[in-house]
Amino acid sequence: MTPSGRHGPLTGVRVVELGNFIAAPTAGRVLAEFGGDVIKVERPSTGDELRTWRLHRGDTSLLFRTMARNKRSLTLDLRAAEGQRIARDLIGTADVVLENFRPGTLEKWGLGPEEIRALHPSVVLVRISGYGQTGPYRNRPGFGGVAEALGGVRHLTGYPGLPPVRTGVSLADSVAGLYAVIGALLGLLRARAGASGETVDVALYEAVYSLMESSLPDYDAFGVTREATGAVIPGVVPSNTYRCADGKYVVVGGNNNAIFTRLMTAVGRPDLAADPELADNAGRVARAADIDEAIGAWTAGLDSAAALDRLAAASVPSGPIYDVADIAADPHFAARGMLERHPVRIDDEPREVAFPGVVPKLAEEPGGTRWLGPELGAHTDEVLAELHRTPADITRLRAEGVI
């Protein structure tokens, strides 16, 4: 808790999260980390599928514990008429509603934009889907991997002549979740100004497409289609990955003119540092193979730690390629609060486990982890009491399978 007694700048903002998996829960996680009261609505008995994704022992994965931190879990069957009535009551108390169902699902449940606006005219409705709420593809099912392909990123991954590859994380869903946060905050600003409620439409494929830099204008203006290029970025030299004597790889970026001179001096090639043909990026692009060969020959004779020490001494941007074990042992991650330790039960034994820290860092009202993702339905009675359901009502709803 911050010195003011607040949990963050979103203290007092209520968010109803209706989504599953990664995209909407990512948005809910960020809003909860900065003080939002995020009520996660989950199916009775099974909950969010994320509870059993990736590594888990027992009924809840550490991925869910991460994605649902600071959220309250309410079980509610949105297919049941009474579940829908409770959802409408809950939405009537909310500032933001997050959902990532296929377009039309909320409308089928009587929870579409018109119904929500009738309950709460200024509420911000954030909708995440594979292809968006409009357009010829709107009704197609869309997952993150498909969005990464359609949005253009998958075409650029890997090496020339080999099948495209994907990143080892849920890239499209995570980026869409961050855009959803931006949309929610913009909608809150609009509501605070007294305007009507905003509807935010985030498509997974568009979240990926937004990362494509100048690929479209380069194609339209010059007929250039970017292709997979392995570890380099076209038109930027040197910026590559180099193998060291210990078998590890380092990433080196020396494409700034002044940095290039320092880099070539550090690797023992003052001749290249002084070569007028290499004084700017255009000249270096034409001789990329020569430059990469010089850097690669130098790193091949040094262990990665020694190579990085010398590059750092020369003020050349460079770094190791970390796996998660390297991250867990790195003092900078620890110093920045990026390795939070929290108690969890693993195989019915209590343990302290490292979880990722909160990003971004705020000086005055920083975000934080107040609790990890809760047990399924842990806050159901609490939330329903806030909606004026009596203990007898709650007992009946539980017996009927509504909660």
Side-chain angles (χ1 to χ4, degrees):
M1 186 177 294
T2 62
S4 66
R6 292 163 58 89
H7 292 297
L10 296 179
T11 297
V13 173
R14 171 166 284 186
V15 180
V16 174
E17 180 188 301
L18 302 178
N20 297 316
F21 296 112
I22 299 289
T26 292
R29 173 182 61 81
V30 175
L31 297 173
E33 287 169 347
F34 290 95
D37 175 22
V38 179
I39 300 173
K40 181 173 180 60
V41 177
E42 300 188 70
R43 289 185 298 272
S45 301
T46 58
D48 190 334
E49 288 93 332
L50 211 62
R51 287 183 175 273
T52 56
W53 268 28
R54 311 273 169 83
L55 297 176
H56 69 96
R57 295 176 185 174
D59 59 0
T60 305
S61 68
L62 296 182
L63 176 58
F64 180 85
R65 299 291 189 202
T66 302
M67 296 295 294
R69 57 187 174 188
N70 300 338
K71 300 177 185 179
R72 296 197 284 169
S73 173
L74 164 70
T75 52
L76 194 62
D77 186 353
L78 293 174
R79 298 166 299 180
E82 190 151 12
Q84 293 163 8
R85 284 194 291 272
I86 294 171
R88 283 191 282 272
D89 288 348
L90 181 61
I91 289 168
T93 71
D95 300 286
V96 177
V97 175
L98 300 172
E99 67 104 352
N100 63 348
F101 299 112
R102 194 185 299 192
T105 301
L106 281 192
E107 288 82 351
K108 179 179 66 178
W109 291 336
L111 300 172
E114 290 185 6
E115 292 87 352
I116 287 178
R117 296 280 174 253
L119 294 167
H120 194 339
S122 63
V123 72
V124 182
L125 174 59
V126 182
R127 317 193 73 176
I128 308 175
S129 60
Y131 300 93
Q133 303 296 316
T134 61
Y137 300 164
R138 70 180 295 268
N139 291 319
R140 293 185 182 181
F143 273 11
V146 178
E148 291 166 25
L150 186 72
V153 166
R154 191 70 67 89
H155 180 71
L156 301 180
T157 59
Y159 284 83
L162 295 177
V165 299
R166 71 174 299 169
T167 58
V169 294
S170 303
L171 178 65
D173 296 278
S174 298
V175 175
L178 295 177
Y179 274 121
V181 171
I182 295 170
L185 296 178
L186 294 173
L188 286 172
L189 287 175
R190 175 180 168 83
R192 295 288 166 86
S196 58
E198 182 63 270
T199 299
V200 181
D201 181 359
V202 179
L204 296 181
Y205 88 94
E206 288 169 357
V208 172
Y209 174 61
S210 73
L211 305 178
M212 293 293 289
E213 300 174 346
S214 63
S215 295
L216 179 64
D218 288 346
Y219 165 75
D220 203 37
F222 309 121
V224 174
T225 300
R226 285 183 58 180
E227 302 289 344
T229 54
V232 303
I233 296 179
V236 179
V237 176
S239 181
N240 208 337
T241 301
Y242 305 92
R243 184 182 174 91
C244 296
D246 56 4
K248 296 182 178 181
Y249 290 83
V250 296
V251 173
V252 180
N255 44 291
N256 171 281
N257 294 342
I259 293 173
F260 175 75
T261 300
R262 297 198 300 270
L263 171 59
M264 290 298 99
T265 302
V267 303
R269 293 299 302 270
D271 57 314
L272 297 180
D275 191 329
E277 291 184 359
L278 306 179
D280 60 21
N281 187 65
R284 294 192 291 272
V285 169
R287 292 175 56 186
D290 294 340
I291 295 169
D292 279 336
E293 182 180 0
I295 301 170
W298 179 76
T299 59
L302 294 168
D303 286 350
S304 56
L308 289 171
D309 284 345
R310 297 189 190 186
L311 291 169
S315 294
V316 174
S318 56
I321 296 179
Y322 270 2
D323 61 21
V324 72
D326 297 318
I327 290 172
D330 188 281
H332 190 79
F333 280 79
R336 294 276 297 170
M338 291 295 101
L339 307 173
E340 297 184 358
R341 303 198 71 85
H342 298 281
V344 295
R345 296 190 70 83
I346 304 292
D347 294 332
D348 289 328
E349 295 292 331
R351 283 183 52 187
E352 273 211 344
V353 174
F355 287 81
V358 173
V359 179
K361 292 192 169 297
L362 303 184
E364 300 302 327
E365 289 195 68
T369 303
R370 302 190 298 282
W371 62 84
L372 296 176
E375 302 303 323
L376 178 61
H379 304 93
T380 297
D381 291 15
E382 176 180 292
V383 174
L384 291 179
E386 293 171 6
L387 298 177
H388 309 296
R389 266 49 176 197
T390 67
D393 292 332
I394 294 170
T395 299
R396 175 183 59 81
L397 290 167
R398 187 164 281 118
E400 294 174 354
V402 176
I403 60 174

